[in-house]
Amino acid sequence: MSRTVRIGVDVGGTFTDLLLHDPRRGLIWPGKLPTTPHAPNEAITAGIARLLEETSTAPGDVAGIVHGTTLVTNTLLERTGAVVGLLTTSGFSDSLEMGRETRFDTTDLLARPAQPLVPRHLRRGVPGRIAADGSELQPLEKRAVLAAVRDLVDQGVEALAVALMHSYRDAGHEHRVRDLVARAHPGLPVTLSSAVAPVIGEYERAGTACLNAYVQPLMSRYLDDLRDDLTAMGIDAPLRIMLSGGGVTTLEDAKRFPVRLLESGPAAGAIAAAAVARTLGEQDVVSFDMGGTTAKIAVVQGGRPRLTHDFEAGRVDKFKPGSGLPVRLTVVDMIEIGSGGGSIAAPDALGLLKVGPRSAGSVPGPVAYGRGGERPTVTDADLLLGCLDAENFLGGEMRLRTREAHKALTREVAGPLGLDTADAAAGIVEVVTESMAAAARMHLSEQGKDPADFALLAFGGAGPAHAYGLAKSLKMPRVIVPMRAGVMSACGLLAAAPTVDEVRSLPSPLADVDWDQVAALYDEMTSRATETLQPGDPQLVRVRRSADMRYLGQGFEIEVSVPEQDLGPTGLGRIRTAFDSTYRAVFGRSLDGAVEVVNWRLSMQLPGHELSAEGGHARRGEASRGVRSVYFPGHGLLEATVWNRYELTPGTELAGPAIFEERESSCSFGPDCRIRVTDDLTLVVEVDRA
């Protein structure tokens, strides 16, 4: 019998979420347990072992595991990566320091940019030069390369980044450096900028190579150890990794290019939101993923999350563009806010209530968890306001400590501010809600969109509990809360399609494009993508081609879809028309000037997976659990009916105030809401905007 079981594992800052799917049995089984920051593998293996036991699944029945992780991001933020050396063209070793020569905050005289990952004393310039047209101006000097690398190794370098001028046009010099280093220092990991980011932009390309080298040794060890742990459990299935752009890739490709995993975990949530939106026939939704540490907001239109190819990692000030390290990779376009269930609340120096971005994480966690936390958090406020059931949190596995949460909130917030404890808890919820609403407004307005035109699709451990307040603040007409919302990112891991994104730079006015060169680039990208994906049936492969284009003289580009067939002089008019149409959609108008192509892109994708479960959920008891007092933004404390989501009947229509509980999350809706239960127990909530 063929193996059918697949498992998704998403490691977050507070909880590790898991989901087991067996289509043969029509089974979808979630799991959630606290993350083990000191050794993420421990929570992963413990969670998988528990899923297998609870579903009576043998390790040998597992056909595949898909993993999303924040380890790359955490390594960068904590600056715990490898000691990296950088090899550049002579005269360009200070590019990382110079950056774009701009200040991210012109009003702050003390503002400092993010420090380069490679300090100046570990950068070396070597003779040899490729011109902008790809020709060789000066041969690469072998002796200089070997001497520079030997010196860096003597200084303790653990990984090497190579970023030579114009290697995106001709990577010959970088390839020669790689071969020389492989012979002289066979154990030294080498990242070539022409391999990880073969695009124009010396600073960004070098920075991407440095970041890849910085995290590569750690990620290689982590992924190898995880693979060994799974093998020891008797699981010999392929281990695939979620990419920042929402696709999944092989273990070996992830080890080679770990920089592409920067937004691995958050991307999974947006992919899951897109899948739910398609199932419900919703065209425009805002994906709202609130976990224990952060909240992530992304736009999904036409059943797909919006992607971007520029990203900024490791910001000095998380909310200020320009304060981080720019990298070139494909990521789901989202905004991340330091607002999660574990976000700490406290008065600031001016006596104003602040919530986040500091988080209690999984260790020690919120006060109510009883794991040593002493500072009140959003979760503690939710508990005191009736949004959480102390006896049934995580299905009753983790009993929340209401008395301790009340004491901490009184001591740290209510007392200093002269407030009643209940009012202080409500204030925490209102502050965190407005913080998220402000971020959502900014994110959507930057795309020329109005939140009122979208439905809010909420998930994550804390997202559903705050969805009603956020929707009210943004004047959104509808809230959608999928079943298993607390582990939706793990659902996204299993639904995601294996994908390879490739890009090559060939700057040229559109009228003067060398189409033979473009064809050669696409042949190279197609070969590389096919080698990684290894599709069994070529008919299942979906290919999308696009180009980064701009009006001649502009300093930024927009991505434009280009035809797969007729990509040549005869298709020139269609490409120009597509550019003008895309430009108008973004900026509201188009111009008459000449157009330039900067980058050519290819995305190759295999089909994703549908998560199917048996219909007709069997009811085992009463859906209603009685009533309790719950705080609703704009209404205060009201008596709300408590519903067990697992016992709801598809097609049921209910009115608020109501609270819905499941093992991994809960959600509450005020008296101005009408709730409909779909066939798969998704809650579709109409919110009165009057």
Side-chain angles (χ1 to χ4, degrees):
M1 183 180 295
S2 62
R3 299 185 293 181
T4 58
V5 175
R6 299 173 68 243
I7 299 175
V9 183
D10 176 47
V11 179
T14 304
F15 285 99
T16 292
D17 299 338
L18 305 99
L19 193 78
L20 181 148
H21 179 222
D22 185 356
R24 180 170 53 85
R25 291 185 285 173
L27 178 66
I28 296 179
W29 196 270
K32 196 181 192 78
L33 70 166
T35 293
T36 48
H38 63 285
N41 291 19
E42 291 184 10
I44 294 174
T45 53
I48 291 177
R50 177 172 173 171
L51 287 185
L52 297 179
E53 179 182 358
E54 291 177 344
T55 60
S56 301
T57 301
D61 291 339
V62 178
I65 293 178
V66 186
H67 179 32
T69 177
T70 57
L71 187 57
V72 174
T73 300
N74 294 342
T75 300
L76 175 61
L77 293 176
E78 297 165 7
R79 293 293 176 121
T80 55
V83 179
V84 177
L86 173 63
L87 217 60
T88 69
T89 301
S90 290
F92 291 88
S93 57
D94 286 332
S95 295
L96 292 184
E97 210 91 49
M98 296 164 64
R100 297 190 179 117
E101 297 186 317
T102 58
R103 295 175 63 85
F104 67 86
D105 188 343
T106 57
T107 64
D108 184 357
L109 298 180
L110 301 179
R112 293 290 181 268
Q115 289 299 307
L117 295 175
V118 183
R120 198 171 193 273
H121 73 278
L122 294 180
R123 306 177 209 146
R124 297 289 183 275
V126 295
R129 183 70 179 268
I130 297 294
D133 63 0
S135 61
E136 185 180 68
L137 289 179
Q138 180 186 5
L140 185 71
E141 291 191 13
K142 172 182 175 181
R143 291 183 180 179
V145 171
L146 292 175
V149 176
R150 183 169 56 251
D151 182 33
L152 290 172
V153 171
D154 289 344
Q155 295 200 48
V157 162
E158 300 168 325
L160 182 69
V162 182
L164 304 182
M165 286 297 292
H166 303 302
S167 62
Y168 65 91
R169 289 301 302 268
D170 188 320
H173 281 191
E174 288 197 353
H175 290 169
R176 192 173 176 208
V177 169
R178 177 197 61 198
D179 296 340
L180 289 170
V181 175
R183 288 194 292 268
H185 307 277
L188 184 67
V190 177
T191 295
L192 304 184
S193 71
S194 57
V196 70
V199 292
I200 191 171
E202 172 205 354
Y203 170 50
E204 293 82 0
R205 183 163 43 85
T208 306
C210 289
L211 179 51
N212 194 75
Y214 186 70
V215 299
Q216 190 172 34
L218 174 67
M219 286 302 297
S220 292
R221 290 193 299 270
Y222 168 73
L223 293 174
D224 283 339
D225 289 347
L226 180 56
R227 175 70 274 170
D228 291 343
D229 289 346
L230 294 174
T231 300
M233 295 176 66
I235 298 174
D236 62 352
L239 173 62
R240 293 188 176 271
I241 313 298
M242 169 65 73
L243 294 166
S244 298
V248 294
T249 191
T250 62
L251 180 68
E252 290 305 315
D253 201 57
K255 288 164 58 179
R256 185 183 176 200
F257 299 120
V259 68
R260 296 176 181 172
L261 313 182
L262 258 172
E263 291 293 286
S264 171
I271 293 301
V276 171
R278 290 194 300 269
T279 299
L280 295 175
E282 292 277 354
Q283 288 297 308
D284 301 329
V285 302
V286 170
S287 163
F288 169 49
D289 176 6
M290 184 179 180
T293 307
T294 59
K296 282 79 65 176
I297 293 171
V299 173
V300 175
Q301 286 192 290
R304 294 179 56 189
R306 186 172 184 265
L307 301 179
T308 182
H309 305 295
D310 292 301
F311 184 71
E312 201 170 81
R315 285 179 175 173
V316 173
D317 189 320
K318 195 168 190 176
F319 307 106
K320 291 186 179 178
S323 67
L325 302 173
V327 292
R328 288 290 175 89
L329 70 157
T330 300
V331 299
V332 173
D333 188 14
M334 65 177 69
I335 189 167
E336 192 167 349
I337 315 105
S339 302
S343 293
I344 295 172
D348 66 7
L350 298 177
L352 302 176
L353 178 60
K354 299 293 183 184
V355 183
R358 292 178 302 154
S359 174
S362 63
V363 180
V367 177
Y369 286 4
R371 296 160 62 94
E374 297 180 350
R375 307 294 298 277
T377 67
V378 174
T379 294
D380 297 310
D382 287 339
L383 174 63
L384 297 184
L385 295 174
C387 301
L388 302 176
D389 186 340
E391 303 297 329
N392 288 302
F393 191 76
L394 274 185
E397 289 182 25
M398 181 184 285
R399 183 182 177 278
L400 298 182
R401 290 157 172 79
T402 305
R403 180 177 299 177
E404 286 83 348
H406 188 279
K407 287 181 178 179
L409 203 146
T410 301
R411 181 183 67 248
E412 301 288 337
V413 179
L417 294 178
L419 296 174
D420 177 84
T421 302
D423 290 338
I428 291 172
V429 170
E430 290 179 12
V431 168
V432 78
T433 297
E434 186 50 42
S435 175
M436 295 185 294
R441 290 189 196 99
M442 179 179 69
H443 187 60
L444 269 73
S445 66
E446 287 175 346
Q447 302 176 37
K449 304 184 188 306
D450 183 351
D453 296 332
F454 290 77
L456 184 69
L457 201 155
F459 55 97
H466 293 264
Y468 170 69
L470 182 59
K472 291 282 287 183
S473 181
L474 293 172
K475 302 187 185 307
M476 302 176 86
R478 192 160 53 259
V479 176
I480 300 167
V481 183
M483 192 67 180
R484 294 174 290 273
V487 294
M488 272 284 287
S489 289
C491 295
L493 292 170
L494 295 185
T499 305
V500 174
D501 292 304
E502 292 286 328
V503 58
R504 299 291 185 272
S505 285
L506 188 64
S508 169
L510 181 60
D512 300 330
V513 167
D514 185 331
W515 296 107
D516 290 336
Q517 272 195 287
V518 172
L521 290 180
Y522 271 113
D523 287 343
E524 178 188 344
M525 289 190 284
T526 301
S527 176
R528 159 89 175 93
T530 303
E531 179 184 350
T532 301
L533 283 181
Q534 297 181 349
D537 183 358
Q539 299 297 320
L540 297 177
V541 176
R542 190 178 76 178
V543 176
R544 178 178 177 268
R545 296 184 178 190
S546 61
D548 296 340
M549 302 173 65
R550 63 192 181 190
Y551 287 109
L552 201 61
Q554 288 182 328
F556 57 90
E557 303 86 43
I558 59 173
E559 186 180 5
V560 179
S561 294
V562 298
E564 294 203 24
Q565 309 297 330
D566 196 25
L567 188 58
T570 57
L572 208 61
R574 292 172 59 192
I575 296 174
R576 174 60 195 253
T577 299
F579 169 77
D580 288 337
S581 176
T582 304
Y583 198 93
R584 278 194 301 273
V586 175
F587 299 106
R589 62 170 184 160
S590 59
L591 309 177
D592 295 327
V595 172
E596 180 181 28
V597 182
V598 179
N599 301 314
W600 298 94
R601 297 184 178 275
L602 177 138
S603 178
M604 183 178 288
Q605 188 177 88
L606 294 177
H609 297 266
E610 294 293 332
L611 300 187
S612 58
E614 291 179 347
H617 298 266
R619 294 184 57 180
R620 298 177 296 277
E622 288 296 322
S624 174
R625 288 177 171 174
V627 298
R628 74 166 181 259
S629 293
V630 180
Y631 171 80
F632 295 95
H635 300 283
L637 283 173
L638 298 175
E639 291 297 305
T641 304
V642 182
W643 299 95
N644 180 351
R645 283 196 72 175
Y646 302 108
E647 305 299 339
L648 294 174
T649 302
T652 299
E653 295 188 3
L654 304 165
I659 184 164
F660 299 85
E661 297 180 338
E662 56 183 308
R663 183 180 181 276
E664 294 83 19
S665 67
S666 67
C667 53
S668 51
F669 299 100
D672 50 355
C673 294
R674 300 178 305 282
I675 304 111
R676 175 171 57 88
V677 183
T678 70
D679 290 344
D680 62 356
L681 302 189
T682 292
L683 302 179
V684 179
V685 184
E686 302 294 334
V687 182
D688 185 358
R689 291 187 286 178

